[in-house]
Amino acid sequence: MDATTDKDPLVQEQIYNALCYLGESEPEEILNACDEYLRQHDKLAYPHRVIILKAMETVVKDNIGLLEKSTAKVVIFLASNEMTKSKEVIRDWQQAASNVLVAVGQRFINKVMEEVLTKFQPGILPHYFVMQTFANLSVSNVFGMVPFLNSILGTMLPMLGMAKQDHMKSVFCYALQHFSESIQEYLANLDKAPDPTVRKDTFSNEIFSAYEVLFNSWLQHREAKLRLAVVEALGPMSYLMPSEKLEEQLPKLIPGILALYKKHTEAFYISKSLCQILEASVNIGSRSLDVQLDPLLGTLHPQVRWLPWL
């Protein structure tokens, strides 16, 4: 593994491939060896740590059914520390560590959450990649993650007001989007779910509280990327809002989304979110849509007319 410090990309790729190959026959040994190496070489530069973490992710994914609980715990603890060692966002390194946690979470979700929740404390803004890990876990392991989401949302809501930097606001939006999608998938498959008593209203109030921050504050932000992150979250969130609250918000929500067409040349995410909001409105039998019809058609007609394939 010392060869990971070689700056030649071909050598680095060979090291990655060799670790993955060895991991096919001896996954436990390779994962423990990677853990030991990274712990013993604390000063190893992050680009080289990334190679080892990526190999660990692949070995975990390919052998998830064979992993011992003890090895999983070792890998989880290492990846969690690698992910949060630097308070600054160092995307490649921390993403690689996060991906390891998500891979292990396919089977050992409770162990992963037990570790990562120690880094998600009330009143303290979490690491960017803690939120991203939660979001990606909610996608990759819906049944395992949804039971944690009510508690996570409860802890997260006060943090929205603490988030001052755009990248933190964006990752909260990313999390809310994926949490909402995960909850919908869980509710659509209750017959297979571990807890069939879960209902939409388990999450509705928290989702609405988050909606108020996103729509009333963050959507007005001058930064286009953040506005799009908000829009991507609002669509899935609309399905989970209390019916009466969604109905109450529609006269503001739909014009607010339509106004974004003038600010963004890339309309896909706006249209997708609008579609989800309209579907959620129809699902609750909304009476507010009739008065929105003219502005909707007036805004959407030019979008259809200028589709490149028409």
Side-chain angles (χ1 to χ4, degrees):
M1 274 187 266
D2 286 334
T4 55
T5 57
D6 195 304
K7 292 180 180 176
D8 185 340
L10 284 176
V11 174
Q12 293 179 351
E13 188 177 350
Q14 286 171 345
I15 296 298
Y16 165 80
N17 289 335
L19 289 171
C20 293
Y21 177 75
L22 291 169
E24 287 176 15
S25 54
E26 301 290 349
E28 302 272 340
E29 286 79 355
I30 287 298
L31 290 171
N32 281 300
C34 289
D35 165 69
E36 187 176 347
Y37 186 84
L38 287 175
R39 283 190 294 104
Q40 288 180 353
H41 296 79
D42 198 46
K43 300 288 190 267
L44 182 69
Y46 80 82
H48 309 305
R49 306 183 86 82
V50 168
I51 298 164
I52 296 173
L53 288 166
K54 283 184 173 179
M56 292 178 77
E57 179 198 358
T58 300
V59 172
V60 168
K61 278 183 172 178
D62 292 347
N63 299 277
I64 190 67
L66 305 174
L67 284 193
E68 296 285 342
K69 189 182 289 187
S70 57
T71 304
K73 286 174 73 172
V74 165
V75 172
I76 290 165
F77 187 70
L78 172 80
S80 174
N81 284 338
E82 291 285 318
M83 184 175 76
T84 56
K85 193 178 291 184
S86 169
K87 290 183 180 179
E88 300 299 315
V89 174
I90 304 173
R91 196 166 293 274
D92 288 352
W93 177 23
Q94 293 156 351
Q95 184 70 68
S98 174
N99 290 346
V100 173
L101 290 170
V102 173
V104 182
Q106 283 291 93
R107 182 172 160 217
F108 298 98
I109 186 70
N110 290 342
K111 292 295 177 190
V112 171
M113 292 305 294
E114 185 182 315
E115 167 59 29
V116 182
L117 283 170
T118 64
K119 301 182 178 185
F120 184 67
Q121 298 297 322
I124 303 168
L125 210 58
H127 194 287
Y128 176 96
F129 272 95
V130 166
M131 292 313 305
Q132 183 155 312
T133 301
F134 285 157
N136 291 338
L137 281 167
S138 75
V139 173
S140 68
N141 189 345
V142 171
F143 289 152
M145 193 63 182
V146 165
F148 290 99
L149 291 186
N150 204 32
S151 170
I152 288 174
L153 286 166
T155 303
M156 189 177 102
L157 283 175
M159 295 173 176
L160 300 182
M162 298 163 57
K164 304 303 179 192
Q165 295 177 303
D166 288 356
H167 75 283
M168 284 307 301
K169 291 178 181 178
S170 292
V171 82
F172 280 129
C173 291
Y174 181 81
L176 284 162
Q177 175 194 346
H178 290 299
F179 291 170
S180 299
E181 291 168 349
S182 181
I183 292 164
Q184 287 175 68
E185 187 173 338
Y186 191 101
L187 294 174
N189 295 280
L190 278 177
D191 55 323
K192 302 171 192 166
D195 181 3
T197 65
V198 171
R199 294 288 178 265
K200 170 182 151 179
D201 56 16
T202 308
F203 310 96
S204 292
N205 290 331
E206 285 77 10
I207 291 292
F208 180 67
S209 296
Y211 160 86
E212 289 189 295
V213 175
L214 268 62
F215 182 74
N216 294 323
S217 178
W218 295 0
L219 191 61
Q220 320 309 321
H221 201 280
R222 65 181 181 277
E223 177 54 53
K225 281 185 180 177
L226 177 57
R227 287 200 302 265
L228 285 179
V230 171
V231 166
E232 283 192 79
L234 289 177
M237 288 169 70
S238 65
Y239 292 105
L240 300 176
M241 286 166 58
S243 300
E244 71 281 2
K245 295 290 187 185
L246 178 59
E247 179 76 359
E248 184 184 287
Q249 290 295 313
L250 285 174
K252 292 189 295 182
L253 176 56
I254 291 177
I257 300 295
L258 291 177
L260 294 174
Y261 281 110
K262 295 176 182 174
K263 298 179 181 178
H264 293 267
T265 52
E266 174 49 69
F268 173 77
Y269 295 112
I270 301 168
S271 298
K272 182 180 178 183
S273 180
L274 179 61
C275 177
Q276 291 168 323
I277 291 165
L278 291 174
E279 185 176 44
S281 307
V282 171
N283 289 348
I284 64 165
S286 170
R287 295 183 299 277
S288 303
L289 290 180
D290 286 351
V291 295
Q292 303 285 349
L293 206 52
D294 284 346
L296 271 166
L297 293 175
T299 305
L300 291 176
H301 182 258
Q303 296 296 322
V304 175
R305 192 178 59 191
W306 290 110
L307 286 176
W309 56 84
L310 293 182

